[in-house]
Amino acid sequence: MEVVAYGVLADEEPLLREAFDTAFAGRHELRCLGMFLDRDTAPTAAGDEVVLSSVNDTLDAEVLRSLAKGGTRMIAQRSTGYNNVDLDTARELGLTVARVSYYSPYSVAEFAWALALAVNRRIVRAAHRTREFDFRLDGLMGRDLRGRTAGVVGTGKIGTAFARIAHGFGMRLLGWDIAEDPDCLALGMEYVPRERLFAEADLVSLHVPLLPATYHLVDTEALALMKDDAILINSSRGGLVDTDALLETLRAGRLTGVGLDVYEEEAGVFFLDKSLEVMTDERLARLTTFSNVLVTSHQAYFTRDAVGQIARTTVANVEDYLAGRSGDNVLVTPGTP
C-alpha cells in the first residue's frame, strides 16, 4: 500500500520517513509531496487509501469528496489543530480522521518567548543595523520584564509551559481559560475575566485553539483594553486576531510590540517562497512594514523534537487505522454519530 503525504517540508521529510520505515519496515510505501492538498491537487491521491495532511492543506467538503472518490479512507493530520478539516463531511463519507493531539509544548512556548524578547529588545532592528555597521542604540530601548504582568490566554500544555518561563522571569501571572490549571495555580497565577487580563497585562500571549467561540478573540474591543505599551504574541492560530483591528491599533501608534507566528490568511502563503512575486495580500504586507511587528512563518512548532514526535504519532495513527484500532487521536470514524 502507498501512503501519500502533502505539504511535506524539506527538514520534515527525513523524520517522517524514519518514523514510517521504522513502523512498516518495507511493508508500505510513503510518497512525500511538497505541494499542499486542495481542490486542484486532490486527484493526485487517487488510489491511496491513506493521506497524511498538513495544517495548511484544504480539506473542505469538495476536497474530501474528491479524495473519497479516489479511494482514500483515512486522513492523518500532522498537527494538533484540525480547523482545516470538514469533519461533518468526513463523517458523512465514512472517512477516518485522526490528528496529533500532543507534541512537545516547549517548542511553541519557547518560540513565543523568542518573539516576545525580540520585539521587546528590538533584536531584529539591531541586527539589521549592525550588518550595515550602524552601532547606534537610538530607538532600541526595551524594558525589564521582571515585576511586570504576563497574561496567558489559554493554559493548556503550551500555555502552562509559557507561564513557567514567565514565572522564571519573575513576572506576575494572569490567566484566562475555561478551567483552571493546577500547575499554573501553583506558580501563583490568578485566573481573571478576559477583559481584566487584556487591561492589566504588559504581555499577552495567545494559546487557545481556533474555534467559533475564539475566532477574533483579539478584536477591536480587546485591543482597546490593552495598555498602549503592551506586547501581543500569537503563536497559536491566526484567526484568533482580527487583523484589521490590529492594523488600526498599530496605525494609532499603540502597542510596544507584536509578534505573530500565525496569520489568519496564511494558507497559500506561509511555507512557500513568494519573494519573486507581488504580495497581493495587502494586510500582510502592511503588517510587515511596522518596525515594532515581527512576523514569522508558522515555525513555532518546528524543532527536531516536536516534528519527530509529530511524525511518530502520525505513523502510529496510521498503524491503529490499519489494525482496526481507535484511540484518543481519532476525531472521526465510520459509523460515529
Side-chain angles (χ1 to χ4, degrees):
M1 182 185 74
E2 180 184 77
V3 174
V4 59
Y6 289 89
V8 179
L9 304 175
D11 292 333
E12 175 192 13
E13 183 171 349
L15 298 173
L16 186 58
R17 288 195 178 279
E18 179 183 1
F20 192 90
D21 293 341
T22 299
F24 297 118
R27 290 181 287 120
H28 303 294
E29 295 182 4
L30 176 65
R31 178 162 57 112
C32 291
L33 302 176
M35 62 185 178
F36 292 111
L37 179 59
D38 56 27
R39 60 185 299 181
D40 297 321
T41 60
T44 62
D48 292 321
E49 183 178 349
V50 177
V51 167
L52 311 185
S53 58
S54 73
V55 69
N56 272 346
D57 288 330
T58 300
L59 292 119
D60 56 17
E62 181 181 3
V63 171
L64 290 176
R65 293 186 193 283
S66 176
L67 292 175
K69 183 178 180 181
T72 297
R73 307 311 305 159
M74 195 262 184
I75 307 289
Q77 175 96 333
R78 305 191 314 278
S79 69
T80 299
Y82 51 90
N83 52 286
N84 60 322
V85 185
D86 186 335
L87 296 182
D88 291 334
T89 298
R91 189 175 293 109
E92 171 193 327
L93 295 170
L95 299 175
T96 295
V97 180
R99 63 161 178 160
V100 177
S101 58
Y102 175 85
Y103 61 87
S104 168
Y106 309 107
S107 59
V108 179
E110 290 172 3
F111 192 84
W113 269 106
L115 290 176
L117 294 172
V119 297
N120 178 42
R121 301 304 299 269
R122 312 293 193 265
I123 299 297
V124 175
R125 182 188 295 181
H128 287 165
R129 281 188 184 179
T130 56
R131 286 175 65 91
E132 296 177 356
F133 306 111
D134 179 353
F135 300 105
R136 293 173 300 158
L137 298 183
D138 297 346
L140 302 182
M141 182 175 286
R143 56 181 175 172
D144 290 1
L145 293 174
R146 181 176 178 80
R148 288 191 163 83
T149 300
V152 186
V153 181
T155 55
K157 293 181 175 63
I158 296 173
T160 299
F162 183 91
R164 288 196 185 100
I165 299 172
H167 182 262
F169 273 107
M171 300 187 75
R172 171 185 175 228
L173 297 175
L174 296 181
W176 179 81
D177 208 327
I178 57 174
E180 297 182 355
D181 182 88
D183 291 336
C184 288
L185 290 172
L187 295 172
M189 176 178 285
E190 180 184 0
Y191 280 86
V192 297
R194 181 178 60 187
E195 293 78 11
R196 181 180 163 193
L197 184 149
F198 282 119
E200 295 186 14
D202 299 291
L203 165 63
V204 175
S205 191
L206 308 180
H207 301 287
V208 292
L210 180 60
L211 304 168
T214 60
Y215 176 70
H216 283 183
L217 184 73
V218 181
D219 56 10
T220 300
E221 289 74 19
L223 288 164
L225 289 171
M226 293 180 66
K227 299 177 180 180
D228 287 348
D229 60 354
I231 293 172
L232 174 65
I233 303 297
N234 186 12
S235 58
S236 183
R237 287 291 181 267
L240 299 176
V241 177
D242 182 338
T243 305
D244 290 327
L246 178 59
L247 284 170
E248 285 302 315
T249 300
L250 291 166
R251 288 191 191 103
R254 299 184 60 241
L255 301 183
T256 286
V258 176
L260 304 175
D261 185 52
V262 288
Y263 169 63
E264 58 181 326
E265 299 296 335
E266 69 182 56
V269 179
F270 282 16
F271 303 148
L272 300 173
D273 182 1
K274 297 289 185 177
S275 61
L276 299 179
E277 302 177 23
V278 174
M279 176 49 64
T280 57
D281 188 326
E282 295 182 1
R283 296 189 301 171
L284 179 57
R286 181 62 174 155
L287 278 173
T288 62
T289 66
F290 289 95
S291 62
N292 60 334
V293 175
L294 177 56
V295 179
T296 53
S297 185
H298 205 140
Q299 71 179 84
Y301 78 100
F302 205 56
T303 66
R304 177 172 294 275
D305 308 81
V307 175
Q309 192 171 3
I310 290 169
R312 292 188 295 274
T313 301
T314 300
V315 171
N317 288 340
V318 176
E319 286 186 286
D320 286 345
Y321 162 76
L322 295 176
R325 298 187 297 262
S326 182
D328 294 338
N329 290 331
V330 176
L331 300 168
V332 173
T333 55
T336 57

